[in-house]
């Protein structure tokens, strides 16, 4: 895995069709011009291009990539600065770049929901969410669902009810069940079934997931 | 996924200015990222419209209801007005895909998702829809494919939202920088494969689907949508029915029977509608409507079962719409 820890450096250049004069970026131009030109001609060229770019650049459009660019993601209450490409998914940013491997990737197509994280407390598939679309939102992962080493009530209930077998779907399952309790503290079994209807468990441990989530809801209600 | 540049737009005007040179629009991104991960689509540039706040929301109007194209399926399914008045749209959006995908996927994106045929979705098969002259489904694996109206491509209409919106006589608002806004009825929005196998809809490359308009319903209108699939969740329908009934007491004044997974473009069964119109809704008339819906069926080698399944889906959904049956527990949606 170590070769995946840093973004690849040998990225292909953007296809020429993507770089129209209106869309050219200063960084992209300087990078290209640095190879082919030097001296005062370059300086003048930059100024001309800058003026044109400003005049032609539509308002309310921000250009990104295809090269890596810096962003800050708010994850589990903490700001993380990292470099991403436009194509980097949130799951890849979490697992490969930030080493937060609690979020699992199984299908990588939004079918199984093992990659479930919260965007502002709303459960989504991090494999089908571009990391850039998480900028400006609060991301919560399985690592941040509870404080320090304490278990979230849903996690504790999963342990009590033995609600996992191979465990690969469990982080996503817990995120879906905990999101349900955030929205609906008194769910019925039908509500739990609906909430995890996108979470595939190949071992078939659903009955215990339902029992654990209803138990966690009861525990939270008795504390409230 | 291929490497690409992304133009993040915060207004409709900004997004329209970017629709050129083969740039591809991304909203929720669910269908697009799937195709890009499959390698069938490799755009050099995406226009990200996900953050255009003006395209979100559900607004009652004098004419009915306007839904912003970026409103998520979950927001449509949970909206109290839609649930009570446009029940079949809430049903259709509330049972598409999975809960998490419904939190991400937009109604506009649901209408514009591309075919789910496994040959079309594979980078290894170059089919009629990709500019070649062969369809692999006719002689290959076709158990989920069309049973009517298919011409040269039997891949079925993938959007459950479109089934509901067809039944509701809804239309989409298309906006371009050069020509402004135009409105196209859902019934005219999709292109039959025989008319043009390379186009799925009539939207031009410089247009953006900005809103969905639904007209007011006649008093006494009741509706329901049910989807039958192999799995309870995530799967697309193998048979589905969107039923709208304008009732006068127990007599059905007007019936709409819409189907998605039967044909490449969402369709109405005028045969089934004729059976219901002017009659009381009973198990007998509902059953007769289901049977009539299969008048033109021509199943392929592996999907004859759909000719049995669709009549059941229509029978049960008609009774559900009429309030004579509870939601079918065996239905996927």
């Amino acid at each position: 895995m170590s070769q995946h820890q840093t973004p690849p450096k040998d990225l292909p250049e953007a296809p020429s069709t993507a770089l129209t004069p209106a869309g050219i970026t200063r960084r992209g131009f300087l990078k290209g011009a640095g190879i082919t030109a030097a001296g005062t001609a370059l300086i003048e060229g930059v100024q001309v291009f800058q003026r044109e770019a400003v005049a032609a650049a539509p308002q309310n459009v921000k250009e990104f990539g295809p090269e890596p660019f810096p962003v800050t993601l708010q994850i589990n209450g903490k700001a993380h600065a990292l470099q991403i490409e436009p194509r980097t998914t949130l799951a890849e940013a979490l697992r490969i770049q930030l080493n937060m491997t609690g979020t699992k990737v199984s299908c990588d197509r939004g079918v199984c929901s093992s990659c479930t994280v919260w965007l502002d407390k709303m459960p989504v598939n991090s494999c089908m969410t571009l990391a850039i679309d998480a900028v400006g939102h609060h991301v919560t992962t399985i690592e941040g669902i509870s404080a320090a080493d304490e278990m979230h009530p849903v996690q504790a209930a999963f342990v009590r009810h033995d609600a996992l077998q191979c465990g690969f779907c469990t982080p996503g399952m817990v995120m879906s069940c905990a999101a349900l309790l955030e929205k609906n503290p008194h769910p019925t079994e039908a509500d739990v079934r609906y909430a995890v209807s996108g979470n595939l468990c190949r071992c078939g441990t659903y009955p215990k997931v339902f029992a654990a989530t209803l138990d966690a809801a009861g525990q939270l209600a008795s504390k409230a | 996924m291929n490497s690409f540049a992304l133009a993040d737009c915060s207004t409709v005007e900004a997004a329209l200015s970017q629709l050129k040179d083969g740039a591809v629009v991304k909203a929720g991104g669910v269908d697009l990222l799937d195709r890009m991960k499959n390698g069938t689509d490799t755009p050099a540039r995406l226009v990200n419209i996900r953050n255009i706040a003006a395209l979100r929301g559900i607004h009652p109007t004098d004419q009915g209801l306007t839904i912003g194209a970026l409103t998520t399926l979950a927001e449509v399914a949970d909206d109290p007005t839609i649930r009570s008045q446009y029940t079949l749209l809430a049903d259709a959006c509330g049972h598409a895909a999975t809960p998490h995908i419904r939190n991400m996927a937009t109604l506009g994106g649901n209408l514009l998702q591309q075919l789910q045929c496994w040959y079309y979705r594979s980078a290894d098969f170059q089919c009629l829809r990709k500019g070649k002259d062969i369809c692999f489904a006719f002689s290959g694996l076709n158990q989920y494919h069309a049973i009517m109206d298919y011409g040269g491509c039997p891949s079925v209409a993938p959007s459950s939202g479109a089934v509901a919106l067809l039944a509701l006589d809804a239309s989409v608002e298309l906006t371009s920088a050069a020509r402004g806004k135009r409105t196209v009825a859902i019934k005219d929005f999709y292109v039959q494969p025989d008319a043009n196998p390379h186009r799925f809809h009539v939207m031009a490359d410089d247009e953006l689907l900005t809103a969905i308009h639904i007209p007011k319903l006649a008093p006494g209108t009741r509706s329901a949508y049910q989807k039958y699939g192999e799995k309870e969740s995530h799967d697309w329908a193998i048979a589905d029915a969107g039923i709208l009934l304008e009732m006068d007491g127990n007599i059905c004044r007007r019936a709409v029977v819409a189907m998605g997974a039967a044909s490449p473009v969402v369709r109405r069964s005028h045969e089934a509608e004729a059976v219901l119109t002017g009659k009381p809704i009973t198990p007998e008339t509902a059953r007769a409507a289901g049977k009539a819906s299969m008048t033109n069926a021509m199943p392929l080698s592996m999907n004859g079962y759909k000719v049995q399944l669709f009549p059941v889906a229509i029978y049960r959904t008609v009774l559900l719409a009429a309030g004579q049956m509870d939601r079918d527990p065996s239905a996927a949606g």
Side-chain angles (χ1 to χ4, degrees):
Chain A
M1 290 298 283
S2 61
Q3 71 270 29
H4 296 304
Q5 296 277 336
T6 49
K9 296 204 166 48
D10 54 341
L11 284 167
E13 286 295 323
S16 56
T17 51
L19 281 180
T20 59
I24 200 161
T25 63
R26 190 172 60 157
R27 186 173 52 170
F29 175 73
L30 283 171
K31 205 169 146 194
I35 299 163
T36 55
T40 51
L42 171 64
I43 305 295
E44 283 165 17
V46 169
Q47 285 168 345
V48 168
F49 262 89
Q50 273 185 323
R51 272 200 303 277
E52 281 182 5
V54 169
Q59 302 241 307
N60 305 312
V61 180
K62 284 189 201 145
E63 299 276 344
F64 296 97
E67 312 87 355
F69 54 92
V71 291
T72 302
L73 293 179
Q74 291 290 336
I75 303 166
N76 302 328
K78 207 176 136 206
H80 292 263
L82 67 160
Q83 295 269 329
I84 61 168
E85 294 174 53
R87 65 174 164 176
T88 308
T89 65
L90 181 55
E92 289 165 349
L94 291 169
R95 287 180 53 83
I96 299 172
Q97 289 179 256
L98 299 173
N99 210 24
M100 298 171 75
T101 53
T103 301
K104 304 301 179 198
V105 173
S106 297
C107 72
D108 202 27
R109 290 293 194 285
V111 178
C112 74
S113 296
S114 71
C115 67
T116 302
V117 301
W118 299 351
L119 268 195
D120 305 326
K121 297 210 167 173
M122 184 174 69
V124 298
N125 299 126
S126 62
C127 76
M128 298 303 274
T129 303
L130 293 181
I132 190 172
D133 281 332
V135 173
H137 297 277
H138 289 279
V139 180
T140 306
T141 72
I142 190 73
E143 289 92 346
I145 199 172
S146 60
D149 287 338
E150 221 169 275
M151 278 197 285
H152 184 279
V154 169
Q155 289 173 308
F158 267 55
V159 173
R160 279 199 304 281
H161 288 266
D162 197 16
L164 57 154
Q165 293 184 53
C166 85
F168 211 79
C169 74
T170 308
M173 203 68 94
V174 168
M175 294 307 287
S176 297
C177 295
L180 169 68
L181 299 190
E182 293 272 336
K183 204 172 153 187
N184 176 4
H186 307 289
T188 63
E189 189 186 301
D191 295 330
V192 183
R193 282 172 179 265
Y194 191 75
V196 300
S197 60
N199 292 82
L200 290 189
C201 169
R202 203 172 56 169
C203 308
T205 195
Y206 290 101
K208 293 187 173 186
V209 168
F210 306 151
T213 306
L214 294 173
D215 186 8
Q219 300 250 331
L220 285 165
S222 66
K223 273 187 210 162
Chain B
M1 256 191 292
N2 63 293
S3 181
F4 57 84
L6 181 140
D8 192 47
C9 303
S10 53
T11 65
V12 173
E13 294 69 32
L16 292 176
S17 75
Q18 301 299 304
L19 300 182
K20 57 192 175 190
D21 304 327
V24 171
V25 173
K26 182 191 85 64
V30 178
D31 187 53
L32 178 62
L33 293 195
D34 184 69
R35 285 182 277 120
M36 290 173 69
K37 288 181 179 191
N38 288 351
T40 52
D41 291 55
T42 54
R45 186 175 164 82
L46 297 191
V47 178
N48 193 19
I49 62 168
R50 183 181 167 121
N51 301 311
I52 302 179
L55 291 183
R56 281 186 98 123
I58 298 161
H59 311 286
T61 65
D62 292 344
Q63 288 79 40
L65 198 68
T66 292
I67 304 175
L70 291 183
T71 310
T72 65
L73 297 182
E75 288 164 348
V76 173
D78 292 344
D79 183 78
T81 307
I82 295 177
R83 286 173 74 98
S84 62
Q85 292 178 37
Y86 304 97
T87 314
L88 86 169
L89 181 61
D91 287 347
C93 293
H95 292 91
T98 69
H100 303 352
I101 288 178
R102 296 194 289 272
N103 284 339
M104 308 157 71
T106 65
L107 183 56
N110 179 271
L111 295 176
L112 293 173
Q113 69 182 297
Q114 294 192 5
L115 303 173
Q116 293 297 336
C117 171
W118 37 41
Y119 297 110
Y120 180 75
R121 291 261 158 181
S122 167
D124 297 334
F125 291 88
Q126 301 307 317
C127 71
L128 182 72
R129 297 292 202 145
K130 297 180 192 166
K132 304 294 183 208
D133 56 1
I134 186 167
C135 167
F136 298 94
F138 281 111
S139 56
L141 299 172
N142 53 36
Q143 58 264 51
Y144 305 128
H145 287 70
I147 51 171
M148 51 180 69
D149 301 347
Y150 42 73
C153 169
S155 187
V156 294
S159 166
S160 51
V163 177
L165 292 171
L166 176 72
L168 289 167
D169 284 329
S171 52
V172 291
E173 176 191 275
L174 307 177
T175 308
S176 77
R179 301 177 305 282
K181 288 180 181 179
R182 64 175 174 138
T183 302
V184 179
I186 287 287
K187 70 178 167 58
D188 303 321
F189 182 61
Y190 295 103
V191 175
Q192 297 284 354
D194 272 7
N196 184 346
H198 308 133
R199 287 210 73 88
F200 299 108
H201 47 68
V202 300
M203 197 166 93
D205 289 345
D206 67 343
E207 284 180 315
L208 203 59
L209 197 165
T210 41
I212 294 96
H213 299 302
I214 308 176
K216 276 199 176 127
L217 299 177
T221 299
R222 310 182 60 122
S223 68
Y225 170 90
Q226 286 196 125
K227 159 183 130 183
Y228 291 78
E230 272 198 342
K231 287 187 301 199
E232 189 179 308
S233 189
H234 186 270
D235 245 357
W236 283 262
I238 52 178
D240 56 353
I243 306 292
L244 186 142
L245 305 171
E246 287 179 21
M247 301 301 293
D248 193 351
N250 190 36
I251 302 295
C252 174
R253 267 200 320 266
R254 176 172 171 263
V256 180
V257 176
M259 302 144 80
S263 51
V265 170
V266 286
R267 72 191 298 280
R268 283 173 60 176
S269 172
H270 298 293
E271 297 86 353
E273 292 168 3
V275 169
L276 296 171
T277 304
K279 299 204 186 69
I281 300 298
T282 64
E284 289 69 36
T285 51
R287 194 168 279 119
K291 197 176 168 198
S293 73
M294 289 294 104
T295 307
N296 301 319
M298 286 200 297
L300 307 175
S301 60
M302 297 172 80
N303 66 6
Y305 73 94
K306 283 195 176 192
V307 182
Q308 265 97 52
L309 188 52
F310 262 103
V312 177
I314 288 169
Y315 159 74
R316 290 181 176 169
T317 311
V318 166
L319 293 182
L320 177 67
Q324 297 179 26
M325 187 184 262
D326 290 335
R327 174 168 288 285
D328 181 3
S330 67

